[in-house]
Structures are given as structure tokens and as C-alpha cells.
Amino acid sequence: MRHQRGEGKFGCIVSLLVFGTLAAAGYKAIPVYYADSELVDACDFIASSAAKKPIETIEREVKDKARELQIPEVLRDKNAIRVTKTGSGEAGTCTITLRFKRTIDFYGVYQWTKETNKRISKPIFENIG
């Protein structure tokens, strides 16, 4: 009988507050995770197509993608991107290492630092004919 008179609304209010808090946290965190994932995917593609490109061009392409995804930490830190090419002749390997940290501010209540430390290594083949 109590629930029929509206006295059991406390649980509903608490559930709504928890859901609202999770939604607000997701609103701040999901774009950061998405952008970082997109940058890693772009580096995978860039490393795959790096056969005839100099290292400086590869670094510029990664920085351009970071700028497009609005990841300023990659642009500010000169050690955030490291590109190496190994091998000689017709085949080799392109390795792109990403190391940077991004701080997510949850409305001034809490700050969390997400660290990206990825190494993308792809074989590169030059077309002979």
C-alpha cells in the first residue's frame, strides 16, 4: 500500500542520480577514448603505407591526424611520436610509437589521466614493377 501512495520514490530518485552521474562522466570520457582509438587506427594505416615516405612525412601525417582529432598533447610533446623504419632494399618495417597522457576533468570534482602507450609496427613493401 505504501508504494501506491507514492512513498517509495526514493529508490527511483537515487537510480536517476546514479544514471545521470554515469551519463555525465561518459560525456567527458568517451570522446577522449574515441579520439585516441582513431589516432591509433590512423597510425596503423599510415605505417602500412609508409614504403616510400621519409620519416618526417610520416610524423607530419600523424601530427595532422592528431590536430584533426583535437589531441593537443601529441602536438605539444616532442616525444609523443616516434617513427622508425628498419630494413633495406625491397622490404622493411615501419614502427610508430605513441606515448602521451591526457587528463580528463570530470567537472572539477575529479581528474583522471589516461595514458596511451602504443607501438604500431607494420611491414612495408615497395612495389618493384
Side-chain angles (χ1 to χ4, degrees), residues 9-10 21 33 42-43 48 50-51 71 75 83 95 101-104 109 122-123 127:
K9 303 288 185 196
F10 182 72
T21 302
Y33 277 91
C43 288
S48 295
I71 306 175
L75 304 172
V83 178
T95 302
K101 295 179 182 181
R102 298 181 73 187
T103 302
I104 305 169
V109 176
K122 292 288 183 180
N127 293 337

Side-chain angles (χ1 to χ4, degrees), residues 17-71:
L17 285 173
V18 169
F19 177 72
T21 302
L22 290 175
Y27 180 75
K28 289 286 193 165
I30 289 172
V32 172
Y33 277 91
Y34 178 77
D36 288 357
S37 176
E38 284 292 309
L39 183 61
V40 170
D41 289 346
C43 288
D44 189 78
F45 177 76
I46 292 167
S48 295
S49 62
K52 295 184 179 181
K53 298 177 186 175
I55 289 176
E56 294 79 19
T57 302
I58 298 168
E59 287 177 350
R60 184 179 38 87
E61 288 178 2
V62 174
K63 287 181 181 182
D64 289 346
K65 188 63 177 180
R67 189 174 295 110
E68 176 187 326
L69 293 169
Q70 298 176 356
I71 306 175

